[in-house]
Amino acid sequence: EATTSVGDSLPKVQCPNHPDAILVEDYRAGDMICPECGLVVGDRVIDVGSEWRTFTNEKATKDPSRVGDTQNPLLNGGDLTTMISKGTGAASFDEFGNSKYQNRRTMSSSDRAMLNAFKEITTMADRINLPRNIIDRTNNLFKQVYEQKSLKGRSNDAIASACLYIACRQEGVPRTFKEICAVSRISKKEIGRCFKLILKALETSVDLITTGDFMSRFCSNLGLPKQVQMAATYIARKAVELDLVPGRSPISVAAAAIYMASQASAEKKTQKEIGDIAGVADVTIRQSYRLIYPRAADLFPPDFKFDTPVDKLPQL
């Protein structure tokens, strides 16, 4: 028989014939075996190591998760729910055959609505390549608005779209209403209404958009070189400083500046090409261009290399 020697504090299992032998543990069978004579010294040994079984359908991937789904701080209750399995014995049913123990709805309707909105926000952000920090800010804004219940009657998709627009402006990477509208199922007018209501409800504000916020994105989408982008930025800023475009949207001013800079360079772009990228009508670009054209000579940066001189620019 195996002997157990009592040391200073804890008992030690050892082989009676080879007390100094280091025992080998067979994890599958739960046995302690002497390597010298093969004697099973202890059986049914409890494995206290980590158990890394996979709980996913993909067998190839590792799933070192022991605690279920990740916690979502935006949801109430911290995702800690208990599921009761269906009973099989007679004690699980009453005299009418109905189950005595039933699960409550595993998620409240408010949490379900928020989860759907978070999915919609992530989908919209992915379509226009927005980073994770903007998605997180949008989710937090939506949660605040949803819990205040100040926009009752408005669709959650409209609120989510407006929150995405606000988050972009607060993070310093504003998108136009048309860009948000393109990835959303909601009209531009409805997003604009929700935008104003949310700012009022949360008592927050956003910085005014400027022509420089859109210039680099519009120019890179048009494939314009750095020199034209810098010239367009300079023209738009100078036009605003000289008060040549009062009451005009920064987006239309930026589009007109890009048109003027591209026409003066070798990389000429049409109003339609610029309008498609900026989400501005050709007529709007022409109206803003006519306002800045008379002062064109004062608007270009001093070091700009003209392919077409200022007096030969299109007058429209």
Side-chain angles (χ1 to χ4, degrees):
E1 283 188 6
T3 59
T4 306
S5 68
V6 181
D8 296 332
S9 56
L10 293 172
K12 182 184 174 186
V13 178
Q14 61 187 23
C15 176
N17 304 319
H18 309 93
D20 297 327
I22 298 171
L23 300 177
V24 177
E25 189 170 352
D26 180 357
Y27 291 102
R28 190 176 289 275
D31 295 337
M32 298 283 282
I33 303 165
C34 173
E36 301 290 338
C37 60
L39 177 69
V40 177
V41 178
D43 59 352
R44 297 187 181 178
V45 176
I46 296 170
D47 178 14
V48 293
S50 300
E51 178 194 18
W52 295 129
R53 283 188 299 159
T54 181
F55 285 84
T56 59
N57 293 327
E58 295 83 16
K59 292 181 181 176
T61 57
K62 290 183 180 177
D63 174 34
S65 172
R66 314 291 332 131
V67 290
D69 199 5
T70 50
Q71 191 168 347
N72 189 344
L74 294 167
L75 298 178
N76 297 322
D79 296 357
L80 299 175
T81 55
T82 303
M83 294 289 289
I84 302 170
S85 64
K86 286 187 178 179
T88 53
S92 302
F93 301 94
D94 60 17
E95 63 268 25
F96 302 108
N98 298 321
S99 180
K100 282 184 182 176
Y101 309 106
Q102 293 180 343
N103 282 308
R104 292 171 59 194
R105 294 178 74 176
T106 52
M107 188 178 290
S108 66
S109 59
S110 61
D111 278 359
R112 194 177 295 107
M114 274 200 282
L115 264 184
N116 290 335
F118 296 159
K119 283 178 189 169
E120 181 67 21
I121 288 164
T122 305
T123 305
M124 288 192 292
D126 286 346
R127 282 183 193 155
I128 47 177
N129 302 313
L130 293 174
R132 185 75 226 172
N133 62 319
I134 290 179
I135 296 173
D136 292 340
R137 184 181 277 267
T138 309
N139 288 345
N140 277 309
L141 281 170
F142 182 87
K143 181 179 167 69
Q144 289 175 42
V145 174
Y146 190 82
E147 287 182 343
Q148 274 193 16
K149 294 184 169 54
S150 50
L151 268 74
K152 281 221 162 191
R154 304 281 172 186
S155 80
N156 285 343
D157 285 355
I159 298 169
S161 302
C163 287
L164 185 62
Y165 177 79
I166 294 169
C168 287
R169 282 185 58 172
Q170 288 181 342
E171 289 288 335
V173 285
R175 295 295 186 266
T176 65
F177 274 122
K178 283 189 178 176
E179 285 177 293
I180 300 294
C181 190
V183 295
S184 169
R185 296 189 288 260
I186 310 300
S187 68
K188 181 183 165 189
K189 187 184 282 186
E190 183 63 19
I191 295 172
R193 280 182 190 143
C194 287
F195 163 68
K196 288 177 182 173
L197 290 168
I198 290 167
L199 291 185
K200 192 175 178 184
L202 299 182
E203 296 179 355
T204 185
S205 61
V206 288
D207 295 333
L208 291 172
I209 54 173
T210 63
T211 54
D213 292 330
F214 307 98
M215 201 64 81
S216 61
R217 196 167 78 255
F218 289 169
C219 288
S220 64
N221 288 343
L222 286 161
L224 292 170
K226 188 75 177 170
Q227 186 205 10
V228 177
Q229 182 190 322
M230 290 171 69
T233 307
Y234 188 90
I235 290 167
R237 190 170 68 244
K238 201 81 174 164
V240 174
E241 284 173 8
L242 296 171
D243 201 23
L244 301 178
V245 282
R248 288 277 157 191
S249 154
I251 301 162
S252 60
V253 175
I258 292 169
Y259 179 69
M260 180 177 275
S262 72
Q263 289 297 320
S265 73
E267 299 281 338
K268 292 178 172 52
K269 296 289 178 187
T270 64
Q271 295 164 39
K272 184 163 188 347
E273 287 176 302
I274 296 167
D276 288 344
I277 294 295
V280 178
D282 302 2
V283 180
T284 312
I285 296 175
R286 279 200 291 277
Q287 287 171 344
S288 296
Y289 179 81
R290 285 183 192 130
L291 292 172
I292 63 175
Y293 177 78
R295 300 287 297 273
D298 304 329
L299 299 177
F300 280 91
D303 57 346
F304 184 74
K305 295 182 177 63
F306 287 93
D307 185 70
T308 304
V310 173
D311 55 345
K312 294 280 186 355
L313 287 173
Q315 293 187 15
L316 300 183

